[in-house]
Amino acid sequence: MIRTFLPAGLAVLLALASPGTGYGQETKVKPLIGDLFTADPSAHVFNNKIYIYPSHDIEANVPQDDEGGHFNMRDYHVYSMDNIGGKVTDHGVVLDLKDIPWAGRQLWAPDAAFKNGTYYLYFPAKDKEDVFRIGVATSKSPAGPFKAEPKPIPGSYSIDPAAFTDTDGQTYMYFGGIWGGQLQRWHSGKYDKALSTDLGKGHDKEPALSAKVAKMSDDMRTFAEAPRDVQILDEHGKPLLGGDHDRRFFEGAWMHKFNGKYYFSYSTGDTHLLCYAESASPYGPFTYKGVIMKPVTGWTTHHSIVEFKGKWYIFYHDSEISGKTHLRNVKVRELVRGADGAIAPIVP
Ligand code: FUB
């Protein structure tokens, strides 16, 4: 199935078609960055500022296909803000494809982390064999520029790294994405190019493919363990199934902690939702809790959740301005949650 564009009108209709469902009011939100197309915003608080690590979308004139070939990005910018709603500073190009020795094409959704005086930029890219791997680049400043390591993280694959540092200082990487993100191709433990989108119809009653999580080593450049499945269970304690497209993991993992509980959030891809699940452990298993955001204008929606100056925010993107799936704009909204941690769903 081609990643078809969801027109603005349809998104609005979907929003208006669900009165009384408990979903929030529709609100117009302005893009944070006006001069470039940006997407997949991973936001972190470093030195009392918000730093945003997004993808930098470009028109590369690559035809749209199921594997996301038209998302042919070539560099990363970093942005910072002193306050939500304040000026957004563009720190320029902080890493370029040509400076990543192992990478072939497609710089997709990145994330960042900090440890012992060094900032780490984690990013997916296809290697010279066209297999997605996850790379790491370092800097002494959260604003970069970043210098790429000569090789990707050993044992890494697929896309959308999300680095979560727990309150005890341990960092975990969550990653993976199906279809164009190639996660399904690793189902047997080895890369199988024949598995082109998800596992297919015959697998709808099997547990869905899971995102992966691995503890990072102290060097922050390697996994400290073999990646494990991030299992998501339904209300009966059963794993979500491959055919459950409204709830199963697709891509865009994020982790945050609130009142001692771990909240794993993600995109459902072809059903265009952001959902979340909760657990007492960063490894899960997680119990599915609900929708965070209804479909945005565009095909993809990719988010991050961060606490800043006592409030929680969700950063995400849509294609409202361009009308093209691969030319997106980053936005931010306050996240509304109950005292029990439950997240109120947003109508974008
Ligand atoms: O930006 C390219 C890809 O689209 C990301 O890696 C996915 O999460 C989706 O947003």
Side-chain angles (χ1 to χ4, degrees), residues 3 40 55 71 73 108-109 159-160 251-252 300 302 317 328:
R3 291 180 161 211
D40 309 323
S55 301
F71 294 95
M73 298 85 105
W108 282 15
I159 60 166
D160 292 358
E251 65 185 9
T300 65
H302 182 128
H317 68 236
R328 300 162 291 179

Side-chain angles (χ1 to χ4, degrees), residues 64 156 213 231 263-264 282 341:
Q64 181 160 326
S156 70
V213 56
Q231 210 181 24
Y263 291 81
F264 177 72

Side-chain angles (χ1 to χ4, degrees), residues 66-342:
D66 254 1
E67 298 201 7
H70 50 307
F71 294 95
N72 198 23
M73 298 85 105
R74 304 189 59 84
D75 62 26
Y76 293 114
H77 285 235
V78 172
Y79 297 85
S80 66
M81 292 187 289
D82 290 332
N83 291 298
I84 301 286
K87 182 173 170 251
V88 180
T89 302
D90 179 357
H91 297 278
V93 175
V94 298
L95 183 64
D96 195 294
L97 185 62
K98 68 175 172 13
D99 299 321
I100 307 168
W102 58 271
R105 63 178 179 133
Q106 292 183 303
L107 294 183
W108 282 15
D111 194 18
F114 172 74
K115 187 163 192 156
N116 294 338
T118 301
Y119 293 86
Y120 296 86
L121 182 72
Y122 298 106
F123 59 92
K126 283 184 179 158
D127 66 15
K128 311 272 193 225
E129 276 75 52
D130 236 24
V131 178
F132 266 118
R133 305 282 179 183
I134 295 170
V136 53
T138 57
S139 175
K140 288 294 170 195
S141 162
F146 289 87
K147 181 163 173 40
E149 294 289 302
K151 298 235 161 79
I153 295 175
S156 70
Y157 52 89
S158 197
I159 60 166
D160 292 358
F164 163 71
T165 302
D166 206 344
T167 33
D168 63 2
Q170 176 62 54
T171 302
Y172 300 81
M173 183 181 288
Y174 297 81
F175 64 94
I178 62 173
W179 292 25
Q182 301 181 341
L183 185 62
Q184 69 284 352
R185 294 185 177 170
W186 294 91
H187 192 48
S188 68
K190 284 206 187 119
Y191 185 73
D192 178 358
K193 190 166 190 269
L195 296 169
S196 61
T197 52
D198 55 17
L199 289 179
K201 287 256 173 289
H203 297 266
D204 279 2
K205 299 260 181 302
E206 292 175 10
L209 285 164
S210 300
K212 305 289 170 190
V213 56
K215 217 177 233 184
M216 295 305 290
S217 307
D218 279 348
D219 67 11
M220 297 289 272
R221 293 163 171 86
T222 53
F223 294 150
E225 59 188 1
R228 312 178 189 194
D229 282 343
V230 178
Q231 210 181 24
I232 307 175
L233 309 176
D234 67 12
E235 63 279 23
H236 307 296
K238 298 259 165 46
L240 296 185
L241 302 180
D244 189 349
H245 289 214
D246 280 340
R247 297 191 296 175
R248 61 95 171 87
F249 170 79
F250 188 101
E251 65 185 9
W254 189 257
M255 169 59 62
H256 74 278
K257 195 175 185 181
F258 178 77
N259 281 352
K261 275 195 215 155
Y262 297 86
Y263 291 81
F264 177 72
S265 45
Y266 55 97
S267 162
T268 61
D270 56 337
T271 48
H272 316 288
L273 299 167
L274 292 179
C275 294
Y276 78 104
E278 118 194 349
S279 175
S281 158
Y283 288 120
F286 292 85
T287 302
Y288 177 86
K289 288 291 169 186
V291 170
I292 297 178
M293 190 176 277
K294 295 198 92 187
V296 298
T297 304
W299 201 95
T300 65
T301 166
H302 182 128
H303 76 298
S304 60
I305 293 172
V306 68
E307 188 181 17
F308 186 52
K309 299 186 178 171
K311 288 185 173 177
W312 286 90
Y313 296 92
I314 180 165
F315 290 73
Y316 63 102
H317 68 236
D318 65 30
S319 301
E320 215 166 68
I321 291 182
S322 74
K324 294 185 177 169
T325 53
H326 61 292
L327 297 177
R328 300 162 291 179
N329 289 95
V330 165
K331 297 183 170 177
V332 62
R333 291 178 65 140
E334 194 174 337
L335 195 74
V336 179
R337 69 192 318 159
D340 61 351

Side-chain angles (χ1 to χ4, degrees), residues 10-34:
L10 180 52
V12 170
L13 276 179
L14 283 172
L16 298 179
S18 53
T21 54
Y23 288 101
Q25 292 299 305
E26 194 193 338
T27 315
K28 268 269 180 244
V29 180
K30 273 176 51 181
L32 284 174
I33 298 149

